[in-house]
Amino acid sequence: MQIKPASRIERLPPYVLGRLKQMIYDRRKAGVDVIDLNMGNPTDAPPDAVVEKIRSAVLDPRNSRYSVSAGIYNLRRDMAQKYKRRWNVDLDPDTEVIATIGSKEGFSHMCLALLGPGDIAVVADPAFQIHTYAVILAGASVISVPLGNDDAFLERIEHVLYNLTPKPKVVILNYPHNPTAMTVEPRFFTKVVELAARHEVGILHDFAYGETCFDNYKAPSFMQTPGSKEYGVEFTTLSKPYNMAGWRIGFCVGHPQMVKALSTIKGYYDYGIFQAVQIAAIIAMREGDKHVEQQAVIYQARRDVMVRGLRKLGWEVDSPRGTMFVWAKVKPEHLEPFNGSTNDFCLAMVEQAEVAMTPGAAFGQGGEGCVRLALVENEHRIRQALRQLDRVLNKPAPAVV
């Protein structure tokens, strides 16, 4: 007997990243040393104090019991204190902060809490996949607009809000941006709040890379904008700044009603994060500021190596001010053998160059022609990856006899 999946599953496109991941696994299983620049999966260690804290917390049997889905109070309080310390934002730990099983889970369940059939979300193109597909999985629809970080981008969104019926319910933003590493200045969010007020539309801002910044750039929080808590929420994570990706701990802060709706959904779906992880996360936020700064310096050095090498390949690339990614436009001649498809190009590079990158097309039509490279390997490995790409892509043509 065959069981037909729900229609929401059938609305999802083929997952090229799944094919890429399987190919990397198969090649490594065969003994090939694939340099994996595909996923933003930190390879550096978390802060020592955090590791020591979880060791002791695991030994306490009380922490092996069910926790609370919203996160223990001290965890939410310390996140509120961090927002005050870093962005001068006042948050009520009881009504404006909720812990999530990473920002991805929080964002997905927020979409489930806010959206359903007939609802519409405005999303930039290209976009991190979950920003599009969490909306689809909630049963709602997506309207894509070309990505930007300026007035023209907001005008494109406003055009949709004025002309589409029914009017979209939420606008999804993400700065520093994944995959393109695009950044904004504080005035951008001032205009976002004004737009939200004019159209009574909610704002969901993914701030996962808000602390991974370079060249003295400090990414603004949407929450530091006057009036932001009246219209939206922001998602953060400990995954990237503290190298705690596998620990799965993040936060949603802001609009009390939206936070409460997320809390209601989570109350049905989960019993909260392992309490030992929550306790260790408190130490990360209390004592980890220096670690966050040092990790950003490491990523900045890797970025510089990556950008120089990609430019030598003839690819177009800006030096990003944030995230742990470099977004590069592949030289057209390098894509020609693959009919311009970055999907096919990236799959081929795993086989031929033993280097894994993420195809820009995986993030939407606006990403075609580009690739995303994660700064997760050390500088030596990045240089090696660049040499391997150069060997394959710029090999001399065979001599004509």
Side-chain angles (χ1 to χ4, degrees):
M1 176 182 175
Q2 289 189 338
I3 304 297
K4 184 177 175 63
S7 59
R8 68 175 63 90
I9 298 295
E10 296 176 343
R11 291 178 67 192
L12 298 174
Y15 196 47
V16 67
L17 298 187
R19 288 180 59 198
L20 190 61
K21 186 176 180 180
Q22 184 64 45
M23 182 177 288
I24 296 167
Y25 172 80
D26 291 341
R27 295 287 285 164
R28 285 180 166 174
K29 188 177 178 181
V32 177
D33 180 22
V34 177
I35 300 177
D36 190 356
L37 308 175
N38 168 50
M39 188 176 180
N41 192 8
T43 56
D44 302 298
D48 291 341
V50 177
V51 175
E52 290 302 317
K53 189 62 179 180
I54 197 170
R55 281 175 175 160
S56 62
V58 166
L59 295 176
D60 186 339
R62 293 174 298 179
N63 291 327
S64 290
R65 303 176 65 192
Y66 291 131
S67 186
V68 288
S69 60
I72 59 177
Y73 175 77
N74 284 355
L75 178 70
R76 290 179 280 114
R77 180 196 61 195
D78 273 77
M79 175 48 74
Q81 291 174 347
K82 178 175 178 175
Y83 258 87
K84 182 64 176 178
R85 182 173 72 249
R86 293 188 69 86
W87 296 288
N88 196 30
V89 174
D90 292 308
L91 294 169
D92 182 342
D94 288 317
T95 62
E96 297 175 337
V97 181
I98 184 171
T100 62
I101 308 172
S103 59
K104 187 175 181 180
E105 174 272 320
F107 180 87
S108 300
H109 278 151
M110 180 62 82
C111 288
L112 199 60
L114 297 180
L115 303 172
D119 291 327
I120 299 170
V122 180
V123 185
D125 178 15
F128 183 47
Q129 292 94 340
I130 201 64
H131 295 160
T132 298
Y133 300 127
V135 175
I136 292 173
L137 288 169
S141 300
V142 171
I143 294 293
S144 294
V145 299
L147 175 68
N149 59 356
D150 54 10
D151 289 350
F153 173 59
L154 295 178
E155 287 168 5
R156 291 194 289 274
I157 293 175
E158 189 141 39
H159 177 78
V160 171
L161 297 176
Y162 268 127
N163 292 287
L164 197 64
T165 302
K167 180 178 288 190
K169 192 172 184 180
V170 298
V171 174
I172 296 169
L173 301 173
N174 168 213
Y175 300 98
H177 187 259
N178 179 13
T180 69
M182 185 178 287
T183 55
V184 296
E185 299 297 337
R187 67 178 293 275
F188 176 85
F189 285 134
T190 299
K191 292 179 176 292
V192 168
V193 171
E194 292 170 354
L195 179 148
R198 281 195 299 274
H199 295 278
E200 296 186 335
V201 64
I203 305 295
L204 306 182
H205 181 233
D206 186 344
F207 199 39
Y209 296 93
E211 296 181 88
T212 307
C213 300
F214 320 126
D215 303 326
N216 297 314
Y217 171 70
K218 184 176 180 181
S221 163
F222 174 61
M223 289 293 107
Q224 72 189 61
T225 311
S228 59
K229 285 194 288 185
E230 297 178 32
Y231 297 101
V233 292
E234 183 165 80
F235 296 88
T236 58
T237 177
L238 303 194
S239 295
K240 307 310 189 288
Y242 301 98
N243 298 323
M244 295 168 63
W247 300 48
R248 306 314 301 134
I249 186 159
F251 297 89
C252 173
V253 306
H255 194 295
Q257 188 178 356
M258 295 168 76
V259 168
K260 184 178 180 180
L262 175 57
S263 180
T264 300
I265 289 290
K266 286 178 62 62
Y268 280 94
Y269 273 100
D270 71 73
Y271 287 106
I273 304 151
F274 179 32
Q275 196 153 287
V277 171
Q278 297 188 56
I279 292 168
I282 292 170
I283 300 302
M285 291 187 287
R286 288 181 182 175
E287 302 181 15
D289 284 1
K290 190 67 176 177
H291 180 277
V292 173
E293 294 171 7
Q294 293 169 344
Q295 189 62 47
V297 170
I298 291 171
Y299 283 137
Q300 180 172 320
R302 294 174 184 172
R303 175 206 65 177
D304 293 342
V305 171
M306 182 78 79
V307 169
R308 284 196 300 268
L310 293 174
R311 287 173 177 170
K312 286 181 180 178
L313 286 176
W315 296 8
E316 293 181 26
V317 54
D318 292 326
S319 186
R321 295 194 297 174
T323 78
M324 57 194 296
F325 303 113
V326 169
W327 181 251
K329 184 175 182 180
V330 181
K331 191 176 180 179
E333 296 94 305
H334 293 161
L335 284 177
E336 283 177 3
F338 308 97
N339 297 316
S341 167
T342 52
N343 286 345
D344 293 343
F345 171 78
C346 287
L347 292 170
M349 288 306 100
V350 175
E351 290 284 351
Q352 298 176 24
E354 298 164 5
V355 175
M357 303 167 285
T358 310
F363 304 102
Q365 292 182 349
E368 186 60 273
C370 296
V371 296
R372 189 193 72 177
L373 303 100
L375 302 172
V376 292
E377 294 279 8
N378 62 40
E379 293 173 46
H380 170 75
R381 294 275 285 174
I382 290 173
R383 290 189 181 95
Q384 181 63 34
L386 292 163
R387 285 193 293 268
Q388 290 170 199
L389 287 170
D390 182 61
R391 183 192 70 227
V392 171
L393 297 172
N394 295 325
K395 59 185 176 184
V400 178
V401 179

